[in-house]
Amino acid sequence: MTAIEVPITPTQTVVHGACPHDCPDTCAMLVTVEDGRATKVAGDPEHPFTRGGLCVKVNNYQDKTYSPDRVLHPMKRVGPKGSGRFEQITWDEALDTIASTFRARIAEHGAETVMPVSYLGNQGILNGLTVGDAFFNRLGATVSERTYCDSGSCTAYAATIGATAGVDPESFVHSRYIIIWATNTISTNLHLWPLIAEAQKRGAKVVCIDPMRHRTAQRADWHIPIRPGTDAALALAMMNVIIGEGLHDEAYVRDHTEGFDELAERVTQYTPEWASQETGIPVEDIRTLAREYATTDPAVIRIGVAVERHAGGGQTVRSIACLPALVGAWRHVGGGLLQLPLWAHPVNWPAFVHPEYRPEGTRVVNQFLLGQALTGELALDPPITALMVYNSNPMVVSPEQDKIARGLAREDLFTVVSDHFLTDTARYADIVLPATTALEQHDLMFSWGHFYVTINTPAVEPEGESIPNTELFRRLAAAMGFEDDYFRLSDEELLAQAYDWTAPAMEGITLESLRETGWARLNLPSADEYAPHVDGGFPTPSGKTEFRSSALEAAGNFVVPLFRQLSEEFQVGGTVDPLPHYIAPRETGEVYPLNLLSPKSHAYINSSAGDQAMQKRVQGEQTLTIHPADAEARGIEEGRYVEIANDRGRFVALAKVSDEVAPGVVVCPMGSWPKNAKGGSTVNSVNPFVFADLGNAPTFSDTRVEVTLV
Ligand SMILES: Nc1nc2c(c(=O)[nH]1)N[C@H]1C(S)=C(S)[C@@H](COP(=O)(O)OP(=O)(O)OC[C@H]3O[C@@H](n4cnc5c(=O)[nH]c(N)nc54)[C@H](O)[C@@H]3O)O[C@H]1N2
Ligand SMILES: Nc1nc2c(c(=O)[nH]1)N[C@H]1C(S)=C(S)[C@@H](COP(=O)(O)OP(=O)(O)OC[C@H]3O[C@@H](n4cnc5c(=O)[nH]c(N)nc54)[C@H](O)[C@@H]3O)O[C@H]1N2
Ligand code: SF4
Ligand SMILES: [Mo]
């Protein structure tokens, strides 16, 4: 064991860990180990963002590691696909089967017949987003485009203000006006909340723009319920008011923006009266919001992923990203925009992806098309005949759940799944492989929610025959006979190349120092001083906030390379209007009248923890929240089972009748496992695969359904 262990008693040590999940908070974890067994996990009280607390999703993480349900050995299928019947095999047999089957399928169809499916079940730099990319590139497999989360938002953000870290979340304490736009902070970004609450205590006004009055909205000073998918109308109308009333910051606009005159002309059509019709927000509220936002300093906007999840999601983020420069919010500490501060982290992605291994012209298939790709609805030559899933659970997290199940059930499809548990996806596998949990592996964590680097040191030996993803791909590379040095790098060597340690942001931070302290703040000005764009300096081609986007004008629609293996090739293209504009939601209420939202659950982290006893107890059964008027019209009462259906599929949930949602909106959190759901389906059975306007983002919020009593 290489852990730096702090002895507490002769048999008790505390090891520096990190929460491995895809969550903006990236908590620093202290793991108590007694006699070689992890007995407790806790948040590091010294860490300025974690502040000693882990959330309900993770505060019993040791129970996950020692769960009796864990997959601890390689297994092969012995029952029909989907039956979940498996038999233990050796690692050698598993690797031989995988290598020989991949070889046979490649000989018959070509290497693109193999498709990896992975996302962020683990977010570590070693074991997360890019692990496996080098292997599949070397194999020549189909490139899997992963645009689950914030891809459209990132395209829009980068095209408007560049890949900037934006506002330090710790600077929120200095903000006087905080707009929480499409995010349920207390459930999904818990550790940001105390900073917002502190600002609120100091007199800040907190505004929450969300179709649902969730627990965060309930704590806001002003909740503005909005019709889903119409946020761009609100942002554009705010600009109409701000410019129309001369509330913009003329000097900032002159010095640090591009295209103001065109923007001013463009937004004349987006009047508050028009926006009120689209959004369902009263005209006076739109005016008040615009005026307060423009005249209160510092003003900050926190956007969540859901603003991108409808037909015009990209233009929505474009419109919102224009606001801070328009009013000069960037002049102040605690003013501006917070999207994904991951851009502050100089992660050495290319060292993990090895894009140069990939044969030129290798095809890309977006994972949202998985159901179609597997069922043949999407014509692919060669077809997908071998699938390898790790760090993901497409049966829960991807749209068109029924189609994915049908595809996975194909007898001629060879499916390998590496996971901690026998997920609904793993139940369809031919080979299941056991993965280690964070307590059993090395990693280094960047964050998409703060400015700290966190190390994860293994606290205990792996249970059973489980291995980290890094080791999985070392073994697979050896089985395939790949000789490149990269495939022989140990975890220690991978840690050493995880960051660009020479980058200014890493000054003073080393692996050794991280092992001592567990975490470190990037070398940036303190949160009391950090105002990255006081003097402009946006990382766009012009160095300015581009109201008129030169990137969109030149490239058309594009996917930020991180979501497609750092590949600049195969961009989406087309023509995109370089000025922000409004695109209405795609699905209308003609056949299916209710707009379904599927935000994050409170107790699960995406599908992770969705089958753990404590979290299931907290989250309860899959629910559908429906407004009393919509419930009454359908004879639905609280606590009754309802069926939610459209042309794509159907699922069953327990009705919660509440005016927390607006009439016409229904909400079912994602994350429940189909095997635990009444009727065997969950919310992604009705969601579409259709992309938003930018970045191939999903359109989960652009979903219409009908609800009936079961
Ligand atoms: N309807 C709807 N769908 C959504 C969303 C939504 O809001 N609504 N949200 C989308 C978003 S934002 C995201 S980020 C995606 C998330 O999609 P995923 O990243 O796929 O989600 P998770 O459920 O977190 O992780 C998937 C699996 O990875 C496994 N895993 C964890 N650690 C490891 C490891 O170290 N090794 C291996 N081999 N496996 C591991 C977990 O056990 C779990 O089964 O879902 C998307 N899907
Ligand atoms: N508890 C918990 N925390 C998590 C996760 C989890 O699964 N569970 N997942 C993690 C991940 S991967 C991510 S990406 C983040 C995401 O965290 P958030 O950004 O908070 O995303 P969501 O929960 O998908 O949606 C947040 C809110 O957007 C609202 N919304 C939906 N459509 C629209 C719309 O068109 N307009 C507006 N204004 N609002 C809309 C929903 O009502 C919901 O309240 O959370 C992370 N943290
Ligand atoms: S899921 Fe998020 S809030 Fe919970 S412990 Fe992990 S990083 Fe922290
Ligand atoms: Mo996400």
Side-chain angles (χ1 to χ4, degrees), residues 22-24 55-57 119 148-150 181-189 209-212 214 224 226-231 302-310 448 597-607 667 670-671 701:
D22 179 13
C23 169
C55 69
V56 64
K57 308 174 285 277
Y119 195 52
Y148 284 107
C149 187
D150 260 333
W181 205 320
T183 165
N184 181 3
T185 311
I186 294 174
S187 285
T188 61
N189 189 183
I209 303 170
D210 200 296
M212 187 170 190
H214 46 55
I224 303 178
I226 188 168
R227 202 169 281 147
T230 66
D231 302 79
R302 166 57 160 162
I303 48 170
V305 293
V307 284
E308 74 169 14
R309 295 198 157 161
H310 48 85
W448 52 277
L597 306 179
S598 50
K600 310 303 185 209
S601 66
H602 183 68
Y604 307 147
I605 174 87
N606 300 314
S607 76
V667 175
M670 62 91 66
S701 293

Side-chain angles (χ1 to χ4, degrees), residues 262 266 315 318 546-550 552-553 575-581:
E262 288 163 283
R266 169 63 59 89
Q315 290 302 327
R318 277 272 291 137
E546 297 196 357
F547 297 141
R548 180 189 181 90
S549 167
S550 60
L552 291 174
E553 195 163 28
T575 307
V576 177
D577 180 343
L579 285 175
H581 53 280

Side-chain angles (χ1 to χ4, degrees), residues 18-29 43 50 53-59 187-191 450 604-605:
C19 173
H21 284 299
D22 179 13
C23 169
D25 296 23
T26 319
C27 290
M29 218 155 67
T50 306
L54 302 177
C55 69
V56 64
K57 308 174 285 277
V58 171
N59 62 17
S187 285
T188 61
N189 189 183
L190 177 63
H191 296 81
H450 58 61
Y604 307 147
I605 174 87

Side-chain angles (χ1 to χ4, degrees), residues 460-494:
V460 294
E461 295 295 336
E463 289 288 289
E465 293 181 279
S466 62
I467 58 170
N469 292 335
T470 48
E471 174 64 12
L472 169 62
F473 287 103
R474 280 191 291 264
R475 291 188 188 182
L476 281 174
M480 293 303 297
F482 297 164
E483 306 220 310
D484 314 67
D485 291 343
Y486 172 76
F487 298 114
R488 298 202 175 93
L489 294 180
S490 66
D491 283 0
E492 289 288 346
E493 288 166 319
L494 292 170

Side-chain angles (χ1 to χ4, degrees), residues 153 231 445:
S153 176
D231 302 79
M445 314 297 296

Side-chain angles (χ1 to χ4, degrees), residues 46 55 96 142 159 194 211 274 299 337 354 402 434 481 520 533 616 630 634 661 670 701 708:
E46 303 291 322
C55 69
D96 285 350
T142 291
W274 164 82
L337 180 63
H354 283 281
D402 302 3
H533 303 301
K616 269 197 294 194
D630 292 323
R634 292 165 177 78
V661 297
M670 62 91 66
S701 293
T708 49

